[in-house]
Every structure is written in C-alpha cells, then in structure tokens.
Amino acid sequence: MAVIVIEDDGDARRIYSEYLRLKGWTVFTAPDGRSGLTKTVELLPDAVVLDLAMPKVDGWTVLKHLRASSMTAQVPVVVVSAVSDARDDAFQAGCDAYLAKPCPPEVLHRQLCALLRQHIAGAPI
C-alpha cells in the first residue's frame, strides 16, 4: 500500500513515514500543501495523511481539491491536526478520519488500515 504524508512539521513527517515504512507501506512525503497536492495527483496513492495548518497551501485547500477531482475523490484522507476545533469541519470538508495531535504513529497506522479495509471491500468510507 502507498500513502503520502503531507505535513509541514519535519519531525512528525519523519516519525509517521518511518513507522509506516516499517509496517510495509510505500511512503511519499510532502512538506507543504502545494507539493502534497501535486504529488498526490501524480502518484495516486492508496491513502493520504494530511495536516491542516501548513504554509503555501493549507490542508483545507488540499482536501477541497482532492475531493473535487475525479482522480482523487475516492482516495481515503486521514487528517492529523493540532487545530483543536476542526474535527467537524474536517469531516464536512470530506476527510474520512480525523486524529488529534499529538498522535502516536501506531494509532495512525491502525486508522489507515481500517479505512483501507473498508475501501477495498467497496463499502462507503
């Protein structure tokens, strides 16, 4: 399975990507929303891990573009954010799961696995 981690915090990006690689995932990373959106469209990963508060292009804009494109509309998106009151808005914007920071990498991994099981089974996420 392939995932892209779009996260401006270098430590969080490294921790999540290293953990997921150890679990057998192919992991791509992006340090901001603009490069993350470009890479997601180019690579079409199985899932996206997305921070909301980022420079250049924020996660809200990335999520909006992912959901508006027929190429990426069905890709599961896990928002991992420190924005304390963003959960409901993130779901309304189209994310499939929301995890609050700080989020242990094993929790993120379990959430990704659960979403992909649903996605592969054809169930609506």
Side-chain angles (χ1 to χ4, degrees), residues 84-112:
S84 60
D85 59 350
R87 181 178 165 80
D88 290 345
D89 290 337
F91 278 112
Q92 284 185 333
C95 79
D96 299 292
Y98 182 95
L99 300 171
K101 286 183 181 177
C103 176
E106 58 273 13
V107 172
L108 174 61
H109 176 250
R110 284 194 300 266
Q111 182 66 75
L112 284 166

Side-chain angles (χ1 to χ4, degrees), residues 6-66:
I6 307 172
E7 167 66 67
D8 65 319
D9 181 294
D11 290 337
R13 193 172 58 245
R14 181 184 49 77
I15 289 167
Y16 294 149
S17 62
E18 286 179 7
Y19 187 87
L20 293 171
R21 282 186 185 107
L22 286 172
K23 293 295 188 178
W25 291 66
T26 300
V27 182
F28 304 98
T29 62
D32 60 70
R34 181 181 300 150
S35 62
L37 189 56
T38 300
K39 283 185 177 183
T40 302
V41 171
E42 288 173 3
L43 301 169
L44 294 177
D46 298 298
V48 173
V49 174
L50 180 64
D51 184 19
L52 293 176
M54 292 184 292
K56 296 183 183 174
V57 175
D58 66 20
W60 296 105
T61 303
V62 172
L63 185 56
K64 177 183 168 188
H65 284 284
L66 291 177

